[in-house]
Amino acid sequence: MSEAGKRTTIAGLLGSQERNVDVTVKGWVRTKRGNKNVAFIALNDGTTINNIQVVVDPSAFPEELLKDITTGASLRVEGLLVDSQGSGQPVEVQAKEIEIYGKADPESYPLQKKGHSLEFLREIAHLRPRTNTFGAVLRVRHAMAYAIHKYFNDRGFYYMHTPLITGSDAEGAGAMFEVTTLDMDNLPKTADGKVDHSQDFFGKATNLTVSGQLEAEIGAMALSKVYTFGPTFRAENSNTPRHLAEFWMIEPEMAFFDLVDDMDLAEDFLKYLIKYALDNCMSDLEFLNKMYDNELIDRLKFVVENDFVRLDYTEGIEILKQSGKKFEFPVEWGLDLQSEHERYLVEQHFKKPVILINYPKEIKAFYMKLNDDGKTVRAMDVLFPKIGEIIGGSEREADYDKLVGRMHEIGIKPEDMWWYLELRKFGTAPHSGFGLGFERLVLFVTGMANIRDVIPFPRTPKNAEF
Ligand code: ATP
Ligand code: MN
């Protein structure tokens, strides 16, 4: 049998009912302590937040070997799995054989000591997954990705892959990164002095996508229910704890769904994901609850168990105006809500997640369905405690003429979006969708405070080291 085949994961060992059997365990040393008569190694392999305790009789091993077993070193240990003598763990391994795969010099290994700041850990993104915090976050992140696919698959949605490089620049969701192979030091120019993208790789100007929605609509108008789950890019210079320049987004798009169906789906989806985390990630959540956010688990349960408030933007503005609270940004019908306003509604006024609907058309995208009042659109934002906006969505404008009218108002050339308009020309149907920011979800579920700490390699202004 291969070495890998013989290895038992630490998660497996800690859950095992077997005793007095030989096992092979592999992982990285978290701590070593002890005395002349006995040494204890806490070993972690990332399969669980918990370590396995390896008990070593120093007289049975060369002194040289024991000296090199320091925090960060990687080991193979063979030994007997027994009931643990100490408290805190059900089992431990009595070492019979130890092999060091790789040493970690105590003088220079950055994770030698516990309690580094999250800011410092961001500078060592290649090592921070070995900390308890990032191990927990990355496991929860994985569980959420899996649960998203499971949720949609179980409900008849098809996973649709939409392009990351896009030739349509009318999505309007944020500033875009350009994609080009032109020689930056010697740009070809047209007669009127502009960059000549006809000589570019795609024969036109292209960008990294800010959203897969427009293409997902193509899928919905054929397969009924689709979703995307991929990276999106926004070149906005917003240095906030909730924005990344590269983030992952989940965008379901459903034919024959109106705004109420859309809201129902968004609420059910979020509750499912949070419940999935409570059911499957409890040891990680308990750790995060203890270390970072004592209300985390209560908050997650609260969101699962309570209905979201559904409210008109106009009423939301009234509540904010009457709150008597001094906000940094103005509150006025027609202005977009800032995160401070969103959080006031959620955390102080309703004390529940809020779905705000029917926003003024001027502050929402051109593709949202116009209400009969001619002033507002069938938009919905789901607002969460500590996060603010976690989902943005809408019923889409399905009427050809109204959509063209909106494009003219906003200054989008209909011919640039001919294919999008043809969806309204041939077999148009009511349809709706939304976008969930994956990292905002992971922020909420882990209770972490900064979005840079819930993605392995954050991309933010002036930061793309790893
Ligand atoms: P915000 O107002 O918070 O900047 P937005 O209205 O620009 O967000 P949408 O275009 O509606 O965002 O995108 C859908 C979802 O994607 C948002 O609800 C949010 O969860 C997430 N999101 C948007 N921008 C970012 C970003 N820069 N980093 C991480 N997540 C984001
Ligand atoms: Mn939005």
Side-chain angles (χ1 to χ4, degrees):
M1 206 195 267
S2 73
E3 281 286 275
K6 262 194 345 190
R7 166 186 171 229
T8 311
T9 64
I10 291 171
L13 285 180
L14 293 173
S16 172
Q17 299 307 316
E18 287 194 280
R19 296 294 181 269
N20 303 312
V21 290
D22 277 324
V23 295
T24 301
V25 57
K26 302 179 181 188
W28 292 267
V29 175
R30 282 297 171 78
T31 56
K32 189 180 76 172
R33 60 193 175 84
N35 51 44
K36 278 204 198 75
N37 305 318
V38 61
F40 301 101
I41 303 167
L43 204 64
N44 189 282
D45 66 359
T47 57
T48 158
I49 188 107
N50 299 308
N51 304 323
I52 188 97
Q53 172 155 287
V54 176
V55 186
V56 181
D57 171 2
S59 68
F61 294 89
E63 205 172 307
E64 279 302 290
L65 179 110
L66 295 179
K67 202 170 85 297
D68 287 337
I69 300 177
T70 56
T71 299
S74 52
L75 306 184
R76 173 179 68 88
V77 177
E78 292 193 22
L80 202 63
L81 184 70
V82 298
D83 279 321
S84 179
Q85 309 300 304
S87 62
Q89 65 268 329
V91 287
E92 60 193 25
V93 173
Q94 289 174 349
K96 293 180 179 172
E97 211 180 297
I98 301 177
E99 177 189 352
I100 300 178
Y101 286 127
K103 298 188 250 185
D105 174 21
E107 295 298 312
S108 52
Y109 182 57
L111 297 176
Q112 188 60 33
K113 295 233 155 51
K114 284 186 169 190
H116 289 298
S117 73
L118 294 170
E119 288 79 8
F120 170 73
L121 292 177
R122 277 175 219 149
E123 291 166 19
I124 51 166
H126 60 305
L127 295 173
R128 68 176 184 169
R130 298 194 200 175
T131 62
N132 283 330
T133 298
F134 285 88
V137 167
L138 291 178
R139 281 184 297 272
V140 171
R141 187 178 163 104
H142 162 81
M144 290 296 89
Y146 172 75
I148 285 162
H149 286 301
K150 179 166 168 52
Y151 179 87
F152 286 127
N153 182 66
D154 289 352
R155 286 159 184 76
F157 286 69
Y158 297 104
Y159 180 26
M160 175 141 169
H161 294 102
T162 51
L164 299 192
I165 300 175
T166 165
S168 83
D169 58 1
E171 282 154 346
M176 301 179 98
F177 290 102
E178 265 186 56
V179 176
T180 179
T181 53
L182 292 177
D183 178 358
M184 289 304 191
D185 296 320
N186 188 18
L187 287 170
K189 295 284 172 70
T190 59
D192 55 358
K194 298 220 168 98
V195 175
D196 183 8
H197 282 287
S198 71
Q199 298 186 42
D200 208 340
F201 189 91
F202 296 104
K204 63 182 298 198
T206 51
N207 297 289
L208 291 178
T209 187
V210 293
S211 154
Q213 177 204 318
L214 302 188
E215 293 90 350
E217 286 186 50
I218 295 173
M221 296 311 279
L223 300 171
S224 289
K225 293 194 287 187
V226 300
Y227 69 103
T228 71
F229 185 176
T232 48
F233 307 86
R234 297 193 186 177
E236 45 199 1
N237 202 356
S238 41
N239 248 315
T240 80
R242 285 165 294 102
H243 289 89
L244 291 164
E246 176 182 289
F247 66 100
W248 288 65
M249 187 146 59
I250 301 97
E251 294 180 278
E253 190 71 32
M254 299 74 61
F256 319 118
F257 269 49
D258 65 14
L259 186 65
V260 174
D261 300 325
D262 205 28
M263 285 192 278
D264 290 345
L265 180 75
E267 182 168 345
D268 185 62
F269 179 49
L270 287 169
K271 286 178 172 172
Y272 174 93
L273 296 175
I274 295 164
K275 182 165 188 314
Y276 188 92
L278 287 166
D279 290 344
N280 294 277
C281 306
M282 203 31 125
S283 49
D284 288 323
L285 295 181
E286 277 168 350
F287 171 81
L288 295 164
N289 193 86
K290 188 174 82 195
M291 300 299 291
Y292 292 99
D293 180 348
N294 293 322
E295 289 162 14
L296 173 64
I297 291 174
D298 287 343
R299 189 182 315 115
L300 297 180
K301 287 185 176 156
F302 181 82
V303 170
V304 171
E305 285 159 12
N306 287 280
D307 288 343
F308 297 3
V309 173
R310 299 179 182 194
L311 187 76
D312 260 45
Y313 165 90
T314 302
E315 290 173 60
I317 293 291
E318 279 315 307
I319 292 170
L320 290 168
K321 280 186 150 175
Q322 283 163 21
S323 69
K325 218 181 125 76
K326 272 233 163 297
F327 294 109
E328 188 186 340
F329 292 92
V331 178
E332 206 58 62
W333 199 96
L335 296 182
D336 208 355
L337 295 188
Q338 302 295 324
S339 149
E340 56 171 344
H341 309 131
E342 298 172 342
R343 292 183 59 178
Y344 175 83
L345 290 174
V346 171
E347 292 167 19
Q348 315 221 19
H349 189 82
F350 290 108
K351 302 190 171 23
K352 274 182 182 187
V354 173
I355 310 183
L356 211 57
I357 59 173
N358 296 328
Y359 284 73
K361 64 177 179 181
E362 284 78 15
I363 56 172
K364 288 293 180 186
F366 73 96
Y367 50 71
M368 296 189 181
K369 185 177 167 71
L370 200 59
N371 278 314
D372 292 339
D373 63 11
K375 292 194 305 192
T376 59
V377 288
R378 290 210 174 112
M380 63 145 192
D381 279 7
V382 182
L383 313 178
F384 257 31
K386 288 193 78 180
I387 305 285
E389 178 184 335
I390 192 164
I391 278 180
S394 68
E395 183 169 346
R396 317 307 188 189
E397 184 56 79
D399 182 277
Y400 183 91
D401 293 323
K402 286 188 186 159
L403 189 56
V404 171
R406 285 293 289 142
M407 289 172 134
H408 282 308
E409 275 177 34
I410 287 176
I412 299 170
K413 288 203 212 94
E415 56 270 29
D416 287 349
M417 302 217 71
W418 62 274
W419 54 269
Y420 190 70
L421 281 165
E422 285 202 353
L423 297 177
R424 277 74 180 167
K425 205 150 102 186
F426 306 123
T428 192
H431 63 290
S432 301
F434 60 78
L436 166 66
F438 186 53
E439 285 74 21
R440 297 228 180 137
L441 171 75
V442 181
L443 259 186
F444 183 74
V445 172
T446 58
M448 299 298 286
N450 194 311
I451 200 162
R452 293 165 180 78
D453 298 328
V454 297
I455 185 167
F457 308 103
R459 294 287 171 268
T460 51
K462 303 276 181 288
N463 175 31
E465 176 71 18
F466 292 87

